[in-house]
Amino acid sequence: MIASSPAGLFCAAGDFHVDPWGPVERAVITHAHSDHASHGAASYLCAAPGAAVLRRRLPEAHIETLDYGERRAIGDAHVSFHPAGHILGSAQVRVEHRGEVWVVSGDYKRQPDPTCAPFEPVRCHTFITEATFGLPIYTWDPGAAVVEEILAWWRENRDQDRPSVVFCYVLGKAQRILAELRETADAPIHLHGAMAAMTDAYRESGVAMAATERVTESMRGKALARALVLAPLSARGTPWMRRLPGASVGFASGLMRVRGVRRQRAFDRGFVLSDHADWRALLATIEDTGASRVLVTHGWSEALARYLAETRGLETGIIRTRFEGEAGELGDAVDSGEGS
């Protein structure tokens, strides 16, 4: 029902693409990260809670929305969105045609996140899953506990008049940290300019977060000596960092589960916080769907597909993608400030 095409996943029954890579006639979007919501489609359809952030990314786009669970006929297919728990408005796309059901998960996680609706398993015949962290080494601690680690680290640095900089994604991760800190932060949290627009979009959507203040051109040195600053990884090593002399730097990512990565990249602290499912959640989710066929994309797709075939007896396959999301965050492109 859904197959790879030069522009990404395509549903012939409905004549639409899911998360296309380039210009198409109709795009059904799982969420607003740049590797899932690209420019150039004639029309976009997304889950209603994600409309504000998608409009920030694609201000000139024609965007329609559906509430979670609402069905719409598109061609000969019926489409609905269901919460994916990844970022605000993220959705799985359920497609039904002549009694057969496919679900495209997009990116998802099972951990609680105060910024978005929790993941809901959807029964289907074929499940297209991500595998960004599809290896047994990737397991997550509770997100709230990790953010408590960030808070304690900030206090330690503040006692030494030392700025604390947490590198993280512009869309999703930054707002999740801010939401987790909304009750405990006793001072405004400073944001790199790249963080401001998406944080505003979250607030416009009703997400409660800690107070924030944008780092301005005039702020530097003593003015930021005790600050907690959120910034995209792309800011590291740039002149922008000179306004934060002596800063302790941390990185919030599932990649920080591997200590060697943290040491190699010389972060003072690594915070294991991901907006993707860990190994256990991937397996639990696949079981929850009841799918007899699982197609795997992103990240460690071959390893997960092989494991499912050998241990669960499932029919599996690989869907190639141009993007690697968080798993590719430390690659040559470093970080556009966003990602899967």
Side-chain angles (χ1 to χ4, degrees), residues 72-320:
R72 175 175 293 187
I74 305 178
D76 292 331
H78 286 84
V79 173
S80 57
F81 293 110
H82 304 268
H86 175 58
I87 64 169
L88 177 64
S90 61
Q92 306 165 80
V93 180
R94 181 186 186 275
V95 183
E96 182 173 354
H97 176 60
R98 295 178 179 173
E100 184 176 358
V101 177
W102 287 47
V103 170
V104 182
S105 68
D107 296 327
Y108 64 94
K109 72 173 180 292
R110 303 295 295 266
Q111 285 192 314
D113 182 335
T115 69
C116 60
F119 180 94
E120 293 181 5
V122 181
R123 304 288 289 183
C124 58
H125 300 99
T126 299
F127 184 55
I128 300 178
T129 182
E130 61 143 318
T132 304
F133 290 107
L135 289 178
I137 59 172
Y138 291 113
T139 58
W140 310 148
D141 299 324
V146 177
V147 174
E148 281 298 317
E149 292 178 18
I150 294 175
L151 185 62
W153 170 72
W154 178 23
R155 288 169 174 157
E156 291 171 9
N157 291 328
R158 195 163 59 179
D159 289 343
Q160 303 172 46
D161 288 335
R162 189 180 187 193
S164 306
V165 179
V166 177
F167 295 115
C168 56
Y169 282 148
V170 166
L171 171 56
K173 191 74 62 65
Q175 294 76 29
R176 182 182 178 191
I177 292 171
L178 292 171
E180 293 281 7
L181 288 172
R182 68 189 184 283
E183 300 291 341
T184 51
D186 56 5
I189 296 167
H190 287 74
L191 301 180
H192 185 282
M195 304 284 190
M198 287 301 180
T199 301
D200 289 345
Y202 268 60
R203 287 202 169 95
E204 291 166 9
S205 300
V207 178
M209 293 180 287
T212 57
E213 186 172 347
R214 182 171 176 169
V215 176
T216 64
E217 284 296 321
S218 62
M219 286 184 180
R220 56 186 67 245
K222 211 169 179 181
L224 296 170
R226 295 163 60 84
L228 174 62
V229 182
L230 304 185
L233 190 55
S234 56
R236 192 180 192 196
T238 68
W240 185 85
M241 287 294 294
R242 293 176 190 159
R243 68 190 66 211
L244 296 156
S248 182
V249 295
F251 184 35
S253 170
L255 296 167
M256 294 295 95
R257 175 56 74 200
V258 181
R259 290 184 180 180
V261 175
R262 188 174 73 228
R263 286 196 297 267
Q264 182 184 18
R265 298 291 174 162
F267 295 113
D268 297 315
R269 289 290 298 269
F271 301 104
V272 185
L273 189 70
S274 178
D275 291 332
H276 296 264
D278 66 4
W279 174 253
R280 295 171 299 194
L282 288 169
L283 298 183
T285 300
I286 290 164
E287 184 171 350
D288 289 345
T289 67
S292 58
R293 179 168 51 182
V294 178
L295 305 179
V296 189
T297 188
H298 282 289
W300 296 96
S301 52
E302 293 186 9
L304 179 59
R306 185 168 59 250
Y307 179 88
L308 294 171
E310 293 177 352
T311 67
R312 306 290 175 91
L314 296 175
E315 179 184 352
T316 62
I318 306 296
I319 295 179
R320 302 296 176 189

